[in-house]
């Protein structure tokens, strides 16, 4: 092997001889005749051209600085852009132009071959950043010429001139970048001239170079012939092998690497023959395995399709891009129609429910963005679809590949029948609750029903839409009283209408119709239980016994007549107990534990027809006391108060004046917040009475956000209106230890009230609470 001459050594020797002869001759002539002359000539050409471009740039930029001064003072931004853009696009030497205002914002910017529109602040900032300008370079105070500046990936000559007003105040800087292509062309021509001179200089060496070339050519051809012959044989053998002739062999005896290559080729063919034999044997067994596996998969796919087509739930797999892939339940096609694979699910469901499709599309964008946890994104996707009289529920399950999202399994279930059943059960419970209320508090419930009928009628006829505050008060009162009476469906429907008013400013016809139908069913049920025109008088048993005792001992006296007349009235303890019951229920719902509620009526009776409106609105005061005032058990313990909150409801008749009191031991009214809200509405807030007026004004609440219970700013306005209709007045005392509301009314002659005589000792203890009839 050491005696063999390698191909690399042969070629290296020949190339070294030829390169050495040509290099010596060429280098000696070029160095001797052209180096010094060419360098001096090129330097002079470059200097003259740079001076010409700089002179042109100064004149152009200074003229534009004068024009831009006027345009800047006139705020003619579009004209600035047109001036710079026209100049850059019409002058072939210009690469860019930019006018930067005094606030470091590009007021005009243009690049050659590119129309610029600078309306976005982010693009304005990006303009000078794109040129690579630093903040220190943005402004100049004098005409500045920079001959070689790298901008936009090329070398430019840059001219910058300040734009100033008549007083010398800087308005900005106009800057143009000039191409040096003309200079490069001139340098190219100078190089060409030098090259021509070089050609003339070396012509006399032509014979020498020709001789050297001939010698190199002869040597190269001789060596190439020896190399290409075996290479050609190898190439032909490779083609024969590729065509399927595995018996091909080559014979090369060059004594170098080509001989070794031929031997390796022959060995490779032999190995390939052996591998082909083994592969053919494996292919015969592999085809059988593939057929068996294909049959198994087909059987599994058939079984899976039978399952999907048999269940009453819809299953669908979405890709990571929200596209419907193969494999879905037949029931989905029956529900929502046909759709090919690869369709976006949002587009597929669009025909059934546009609102559901829009909500799903927004949630899926969050899922694709990947900024939020995947579980949170799934939770934001819509869970229920309503179309006509049918309703479907949707569940979404993640399909992960490692930790990356691979897809989502969508499970759809029609719940129309289940919802209808739940609705029927809720309506039955509501009817049973109304019946129970009617049995335990006939007068109070019938008064509520009469007033609620008037409210629903006014709402459904839209006669209150012209008076938006009154409309909101009516809805809020209906919701509170319905909840107090246990009519949750009516209360929920009123809450939905409140939300619609808050968001859209108008109640929808569909929701109003639902409210009217719901109340009509309750009203029809009540009509069967309470014949029209029938009215019952409720008398406590101890009082009835006391009257019988007096009748048996005394002649008929005026006091006895008054007591008998008072039986036409309702004990004030009854509506107060209704308020107490609602307070207890509300406290449990809000997690505030069991309240300690005291009810004192002081043997006061009231005309239910005159006073029911007041008790209807006092619901707002009680709900505010529980929701706003009384703290949670934890907060009360932290404030040093007893765990259970206290609430007092009382009615007292003294000196011809009737006083209702609602007191709690909560956190009190936040007068500072109330004062700020009043000032924001332009209301006076200096005195206590003015603050009370603010608190009873429509649209004002101490709460930051309205809740389901309170915080809409309509309840206290309704209370004030009811009190004023009865010629009463309101007083309030509030501190960090609690709040007391007093509602004070004039003598009984105008208000339909009575105080029956004190009963005997045996029944005296029952006078301060509600006595069952």
């Amino acid at each position: 092997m050491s005696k063999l001459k390698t191909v690399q050594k042969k070629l290296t020797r020949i190339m070294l001889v030829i390169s050495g002869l040509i290099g010596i001759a060429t280098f000696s002539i070029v160095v001797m005749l052209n180096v010094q002359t060419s360098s001096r000539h090129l330097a002079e050409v470059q200097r003259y051209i740079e001076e010409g471009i700089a002179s042109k740039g100064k004149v152009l930029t200074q003229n534009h600085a004068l024009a831009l001064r006027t345009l800047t003072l006139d705020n003619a931004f579009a004209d600035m852009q047109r001036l710079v853009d026209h100049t850059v696009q019409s002058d072939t030497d210009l690469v860019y132009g930019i006018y930067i205002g005094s606030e470091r914002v590009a007021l005009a910017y243009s690049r050659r071959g590119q129309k610029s529109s600078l309306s976005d602040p982010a693009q304005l900032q990006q303009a000078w950043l794109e040129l690579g300008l630093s903040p220190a370079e943005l402004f100049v105070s004098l005409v500045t010429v920079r001959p070689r500046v790298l901008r936009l990936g090329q070398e430019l000559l840059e001219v910058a001139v300040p734009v100033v007003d008549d007083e010398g105040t800087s308005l900005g800087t106009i800057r143009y970048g000039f191409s040096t292509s003309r200079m490069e062309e001139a340098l190219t021509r100078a190089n060409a001239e030098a090259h021509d001179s070089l050609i003339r200089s070396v012509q006399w060496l032509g014979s020498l170079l020709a001789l050297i070339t001939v010698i190199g050519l002869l040597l190269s051809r001789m060596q190439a012939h020896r190399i290409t012959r075996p290479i050609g044989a190898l190439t032909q053998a490779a083609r024969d092998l590729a065509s399927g002739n595995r018996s091909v062999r080559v014979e090369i005896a060059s004594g170098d690497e080509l001989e070794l290559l031929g031997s390796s080729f022959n060995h490779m063919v032999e190995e390939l023959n052996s591998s082909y034999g083994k592969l053919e044997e494996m292919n015969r067994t592999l085809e059988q395995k593939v057929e068996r596996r294909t049959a198994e998969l087909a059987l599994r796919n058939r079984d899976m399709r039978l399952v999907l087509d048999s269940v009453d739930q819809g299953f669908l797999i979405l890709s990571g891009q929200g596209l419907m892939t193969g494999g879905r339940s037949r029931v989905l096609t029956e529900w929502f129609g046909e759709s090919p694979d690869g369709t976006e699910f949002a587009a597929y469901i669009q025909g059934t429910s546009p609102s559901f499709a829009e909500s799903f599309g927004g949630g899926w964008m969050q899922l694709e963005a990947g900024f939020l946890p995947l579980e949170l994104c799934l939770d934001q996707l819509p869970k229920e679809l309503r179309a006509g009289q049918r309703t479907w529920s949707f569940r979404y399950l993640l399909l992960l590949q490692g930790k990356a999202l691979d897809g989502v399994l969508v499970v759809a279930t029609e719940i129309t029948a289940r919802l209808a059943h739940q609705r029927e059960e809720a309506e039955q419970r509501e009817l049973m609750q109304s019946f129970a209320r009617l049995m335990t508090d006939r007068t109070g419930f019938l008064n509520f029903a009469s007033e609620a009928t008037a409210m629903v009628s006014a709402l459904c006829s839209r006669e209150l839409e012209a008076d938006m505050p009154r409309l909101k008060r009516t809805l809020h009162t209906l919701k509170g009283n319905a909840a107090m009476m246990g009519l949750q469906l009516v209360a929920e429907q009123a809450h939905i209408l409140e939300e619609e008013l808050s968001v859209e400013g108008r109640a929808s016809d569909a929701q109003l119709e639902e409210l009217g139908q719901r109340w009509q069913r309750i009203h029809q049920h009540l009509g069967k239980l309470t014949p029209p025109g029938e009215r019952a008088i409720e008398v406590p048993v101890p009082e009835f016994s006391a009257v019988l005792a007096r009748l048996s001992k005394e002649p008929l006296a005026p006091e006895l007549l008054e007591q008998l007349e008072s039986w036409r009235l309702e004990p004030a303890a009854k509506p107060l107990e209704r308020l107490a019951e609602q307070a207890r229920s509300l406290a449990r719902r809000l997690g505030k534990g069991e309240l300690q509620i005291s009810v004192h009526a002081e043997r006061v009776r009231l005309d239910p027809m005159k006073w029911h409106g007041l008790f209807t609105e006092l619901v707002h005061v009680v709900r505010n006391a529980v929701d706003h005032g009384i703290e949670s058990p934890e907060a009360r313990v932290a404030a040093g108060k007893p765990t259970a909150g206290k609430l007092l409801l009382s009615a007292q008749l003294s000196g011809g004046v009737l006083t209702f009191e609602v007191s709690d031991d909560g956190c009190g009214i936040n007068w500072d917040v109330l004062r700020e809200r009043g000032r924001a509405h332009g209301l006076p807030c200096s005195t206590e009475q003015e603050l009370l007026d603010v608190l009873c004004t429509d649209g004002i609440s101490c709460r930051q956000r309205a809740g389901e219970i309170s915080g809409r700013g309509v309840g206290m306005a309704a209370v004030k209106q009811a009190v004023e209709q009865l010629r009463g007045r309101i007083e309030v005392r509030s501190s960090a230890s609690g709040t007391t509301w007093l509602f004070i009314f004039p003598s009984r002659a105008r208000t339909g009230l009575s105080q029956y005589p004190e009963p005997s000792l045996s029944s005296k203890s029952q006078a301060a609470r509600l006595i069952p009839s």
Side-chain angles (χ1 to χ4, degrees), residues 591-592 631-641 643:
K592 297 190 176 182
E631 309 93 335
S632 65
E634 297 79 10
R636 292 181 63 85
V637 170
K641 296 181 180 180
T643 304

Side-chain angles (χ1 to χ4, degrees), residues 703-721:
R703 279 287 184 91
Q704 293 290 340
R705 293 188 302 271
E708 181 182 356
I709 306 301
S710 58
R712 299 182 183 274
V714 297
M716 292 309 301
V719 173
K720 181 181 180 182
Q721 184 180 24

Side-chain angles (χ1 to χ4, degrees), residues 414-726:
E414 184 172 7
I415 57 174
T416 306
R418 187 176 73 191
L419 291 178
H421 181 66
Q422 292 174 353
R423 185 73 175 181
E424 290 176 1
E425 287 185 343
E427 290 180 356
Q428 290 299 322
R429 286 195 301 269
E430 196 169 61
L431 292 177
M432 291 300 298
Q433 184 66 26
S434 64
F435 177 76
R437 284 285 180 176
L438 187 63
M439 294 299 99
T440 58
D441 185 9
R442 182 185 183 88
T443 302
F445 188 79
L446 290 179
N447 287 336
F448 157 74
S450 175
E451 192 163 300
T453 300
M455 291 181 183
V456 173
S457 176
L459 290 171
C460 293
S461 65
R462 294 189 180 274
E463 65 183 59
L464 301 178
E465 285 193 345
D467 189 354
M468 187 58 67
R470 184 183 172 196
L471 174 61
K472 291 182 178 180
R473 289 198 300 269
T474 301
L475 263 178
H476 201 60
T477 300
L478 177 63
K479 180 178 76 171
N481 288 332
M484 181 181 70
M485 291 297 173
L487 305 183
Q488 289 302 323
L489 291 181
V490 176
E492 290 171 3
Q493 193 64 31
H495 181 70
I496 292 173
L497 289 167
E498 275 190 328
E499 292 295 326
E500 282 190 345
L501 283 177
S502 300
V503 176
E504 301 178 7
R506 188 176 187 271
S508 65
D509 293 336
Q511 297 299 338
L512 285 175
E513 182 180 357
E514 175 67 20
L515 175 64
Q517 293 176 354
R518 177 84 286 272
W519 184 253
Q520 182 64 26
R521 287 191 287 270
I522 295 175
H523 194 269
Q524 291 174 354
H525 177 70
L526 291 177
K528 299 175 182 179
L529 301 176
T530 57
E534 179 181 313
R535 183 185 175 194
I537 298 177
E538 301 178 16
V539 182
V541 173
E543 186 177 350
F544 181 72
S545 300
V547 172
L548 291 178
R550 293 186 63 186
L551 287 175
S552 63
K553 296 179 180 179
E554 302 177 7
L556 201 59
E559 292 83 0
L560 184 60
L561 290 175
E562 183 179 353
Q563 185 173 1
L564 291 173
E565 184 67 25
S566 70
W567 289 355
R568 298 180 180 273
L569 308 178
E570 179 187 40
K574 277 200 169 184
L576 293 179
E577 280 290 356
R578 287 195 292 269
L579 294 174
E581 183 178 348
Q582 183 181 14
R584 293 188 186 95
S585 174
L586 183 59
R588 297 188 191 104
R589 284 176 54 193
L590 297 177
K592 297 190 176 182
E594 293 294 332
L595 301 182
Q596 294 181 4
I597 303 179
S598 300
V599 177
H600 300 285
E602 297 295 337
R603 307 180 308 281
V604 175
R605 283 179 171 269
L606 304 171
D607 184 347
M609 302 304 295
K610 292 184 178 181
W611 290 93
H612 181 72
L614 174 66
F615 288 109
T616 298
E617 304 303 345
L618 283 181
V619 169
H620 302 301
V621 181
V622 173
R623 289 162 72 92
N624 285 346
V626 178
D627 190 17
H628 292 210
I630 297 176
E631 309 93 335
S632 65
E634 297 79 10
R636 292 181 63 85
V637 170
K641 296 181 180 180
T643 304
K646 294 181 180 180
L647 183 66
L648 170 65
L649 305 174
S650 72
Q652 181 178 5
L653 182 61
S654 176
V657 175
L658 176 64
T659 302
F660 293 98
E661 179 180 345
V662 180
S663 300
D664 65 76
D665 66 341
C667 59
I669 300 171
N670 193 331
W671 296 110
D672 293 334
V673 172
L674 184 64
R675 190 176 290 107
E676 292 179 4
R677 301 285 166 81
R679 289 170 179 169
H681 284 74
L683 300 175
C685 308
S686 302
T687 65
E688 293 182 359
Q689 183 60 42
E690 289 175 346
L691 285 174
L692 178 59
D693 292 340
V694 171
L695 188 57
C696 297
T697 300
D698 272 315
I700 295 182
S701 173
C702 293
R703 279 287 184 91
Q704 293 290 340
R705 293 188 302 271
E708 181 182 356
I709 306 301
S710 58
R712 299 182 183 274
V714 297
M716 292 309 301
V719 173
K720 181 181 180 182
Q721 184 180 24
V723 171
E724 290 178 347
Q725 287 177 351
L726 293 171

Side-chain angles (χ1 to χ4, degrees), residues 10-11 14 218-228:
K10 294 176 183 177
L11 294 176
I14 294 172
L218 291 175
L219 294 175
S220 298
R221 285 178 62 83
M222 290 173 59
Q223 199 64 25
H225 177 70
R226 295 186 60 189
I227 296 173
T228 57

